[in-house]
Each structure stands twice: as C-alpha cells, then as structure tokens.
Amino acid sequence: MTPEQEQKLLKSLYDRLFDAVTFTPEGGRETSFGRETTFVQFSKNEALRKEDFANAMSPTNPQGDQRSALAFSEMVDQVPNVAADYTPSGRKLSETYKLIVDNANTRNDVDPEQKRIYDQAYDFLNQITEIPNFDGSPTAVPGPTPIVQTYNNNQAAYVTAYSGYRAAQNGYNFDNLDDQRAWQAVAPALQLNVDSTWNRWVQQGKANVERAQNALQTTINDLTSAAIAAAQSQMSDARWMSPLPGGAKVDAFICLTHRLGNRRKWRNRLLIKEFIFE
C-alpha cells in the first residue's frame, strides 16, 4: 500500500467513525456528541490488558485495587496533542485542571434564592450512599440518584442504538442496487431499536432530569465562587493518594468508574474527546 493509499484509507475510517458517533437521528432528536465539539483520534500499536484494570478502586468501589486505579489513571490522565493520531503531550490532565482552578478567582455574591434552587436541583441529581465495611464503619460514596442513573442508562442505550444504526448504514454501498435492497430489509428493525430506546428514555424521566440540569446551569453564575471553591477543595493536595511503588501519585478525582470489554487486547485504541467551548 502506498503512502497515498494509506492516507486515503485512514481518512475514510476517520470519516466513518466520526459520522457514526455524531449521527443525529431524524425528528429533532439529540446526539451526545456534537459535530462541532467532537474530536476523534487513533492510538496506534497500543495493547491493553483488561487484567491491568480489574477491580480498580473508584468512588463506587472504594475497597478496590489501587494498582488498577493507578493504571487507569495513567492511561486517561493525559492531555493529547491536537493531531490525527493520538500522542501524549506530556502534560497531565489533572495537573492542568488543578492549575486552572487554583488560579481561578471571583467575587460574585451568592443570591439566597438562586442558591436554594441550585441546592434543590443538586439534591435531585446527586445522593450519598453508604457502603458497609467489615469493621462497622461505612464508607460514604457520592453518586447519582436512581432517576439520574436510569437517565444515564437510557441515554447509553439510545446512543448505542443510533450509533449501531449509523454504523450498519455505513456498511452498505448505496451505489449498488443489491445493497440498496438489503438496507431496506434491515433498516426498519434498526430504526425500531432507535425509536424504542428514545421512547423509554423520555418515559422514564428524561425531561425531569434535564430540567434539574438546566436549573444548575441557570443558577451557576451566582454560584461561581462556590463552584470554584468546591473544585479547589477537590483538587487540593489532601485529595491526592500516596504514591505506589514505581508510580506517580493518583488524584482521587481521576479514579473513575470504567468498563472494559471481554477482549484481551486492542491493537488500536479509539479516543473520542468532546470539547465544550464557552
């Protein structure tokens, strides 16, 4: 394969993947990845072992393995260079975020009514769950409320459904008459899956959760000081975990719940980054 052919093939793969993850179904339905704010990168010749990330410590698994959390943190705690292929810039995401919040400053006063609305919306979306320990002292773990967890699950199902629809559609050559007829045979079932996951999402509180999320957004301007203070507390030195032998310290903010598939290795890692510009 010539370099020109390789570039053409890679461009085709990028275009198909980007099209699949940013696909917006008909009927004004929303997409989780906007075309204007999504950036896709490939990480070449990188193998991942699921055993390295098994039973990782996280907010939902506080008794998990710190070594797995460290491995996951080191994998995701990278600011990539802006290029077609993924390459780490050498800058840590956690350190960059900490630098931003530590140097942030605001003198906005908090309006009591705005704070009341903010607190109501926050409590609607978040809860503290106590996980028992063997010594009788429970661990308090922050997480989503049941309606938010249902929202997240339904959103994931919907995104999977319409991404599957788009990926399947991209597999057909519509210049070919046989492919045109074959697509007509499978499209209704795929569309039904998109419709059913969307309807389930709507019926199980989508509007309620988004109303609370919007309340947070509309009151956040008066709570900028509180938000910055909370972020500074989250990224304070006291939050960093003690270093493990041979590894850097792990910020608890980066120890996120994750899910890996059943395959032992991935030769290429697909990274989908969404940037929000305000």
Side-chain angles (χ1 to χ4, degrees):
M1 181 180 294
T2 66
E4 292 77 13
Q5 290 173 324
E6 181 180 358
Q7 289 298 318
K8 185 176 180 180
L9 176 60
L10 286 175
K11 183 179 184 304
S12 176
L13 289 174
Y14 275 111
D15 290 343
R16 283 179 176 269
L17 286 169
F18 183 82
D19 203 28
V21 299
T22 61
F23 169 64
T24 302
E26 297 178 356
R29 296 170 182 173
E30 60 193 62
T31 177
S32 294
F33 295 95
R35 298 183 69 86
E36 296 80 11
T37 57
T38 299
F39 183 60
V40 179
Q41 290 181 310
F42 277 125
S43 180
K44 292 183 177 179
N45 302 318
E46 183 175 3
L48 299 180
R49 297 177 64 253
K50 67 176 183 179
E51 293 83 0
D52 293 340
F53 308 97
N55 190 35
M57 187 190 70
S58 72
T60 58
N61 185 27
Q63 303 302 319
D65 193 331
Q66 294 186 21
R67 294 169 301 176
S68 297
L70 173 61
F72 185 71
S73 176
E74 290 181 337
M75 180 181 70
V76 301
D77 193 18
Q78 301 287 339
V79 177
N81 291 311
V82 180
D85 294 331
Y86 170 81
T87 55
S89 65
R91 301 189 304 274
K92 295 287 189 180
L93 179 63
S94 56
E95 293 175 354
T96 301
Y97 181 74
K98 178 175 171 59
L99 180 65
I100 292 172
V101 299
D102 283 350
N103 289 280
N105 182 38
T106 178
R107 296 183 179 179
N108 287 353
D109 294 329
V110 177
D111 180 83
E113 178 61 18
Q114 293 291 302
K115 186 177 186 305
R116 183 188 67 81
I117 296 173
Y118 181 91
D119 289 343
Q120 284 182 332
Y122 184 87
D123 291 341
F124 180 80
L125 298 171
N126 300 274
Q127 68 177 2
I128 300 295
T129 302
E130 290 190 346
I131 300 178
N133 285 316
F134 74 95
D135 58 1
S137 176
T139 300
V141 180
T145 55
I147 191 172
V148 176
Q149 187 60 57
T150 299
Y151 177 96
N152 293 338
N153 293 341
N154 287 333
Q155 182 184 45
Y158 172 66
V159 170
T160 300
Y162 80 65
S163 296
Y165 178 99
R166 191 60 170 174
Q169 187 181 55
N170 285 339
Y172 290 85
N173 177 9
F174 291 102
D175 292 331
N176 184 292
L177 296 181
D178 290 337
D179 274 12
Q180 291 179 20
R181 287 189 286 270
W183 170 248
Q184 292 302 319
V186 301
L190 294 170
Q191 184 63 54
L192 178 62
N193 194 27
V194 172
D195 292 341
S196 62
T197 54
W198 171 265
N199 291 336
R200 188 183 310 115
W201 190 12
V202 171
Q203 293 164 2
Q204 295 184 351
K206 179 178 183 292
N208 304 59
V209 172
E210 291 176 354
R211 182 184 175 196
Q213 292 172 339
N214 290 336
L216 291 183
Q217 294 296 324
T218 56
T219 58
I220 198 65
N221 289 335
D222 287 335
L223 293 173
T224 305
S225 297
I228 290 176
Q232 290 172 340
S233 174
Q234 182 69 53
M235 299 301 295
S236 68
D237 290 339
R239 295 279 185 170
W240 289 80
M241 298 172 57
S242 299
L244 297 175
K249 61 183 179 179
V250 184
D251 178 26
F253 182 79
I254 302 299
C255 293
L256 303 174
T257 303
H258 63 283
R259 182 180 301 168
L260 294 176
N262 294 324
R263 295 178 58 188
R264 288 182 175 272
K265 294 183 179 180
W266 290 261
R267 291 299 179 185
N268 290 292
R269 176 153 54 100
L270 171 64
L271 300 179
I272 302 175
K273 301 290 185 182
E274 183 170 20
F275 299 94
I276 304 299
F277 299 95
E278 297 180 348

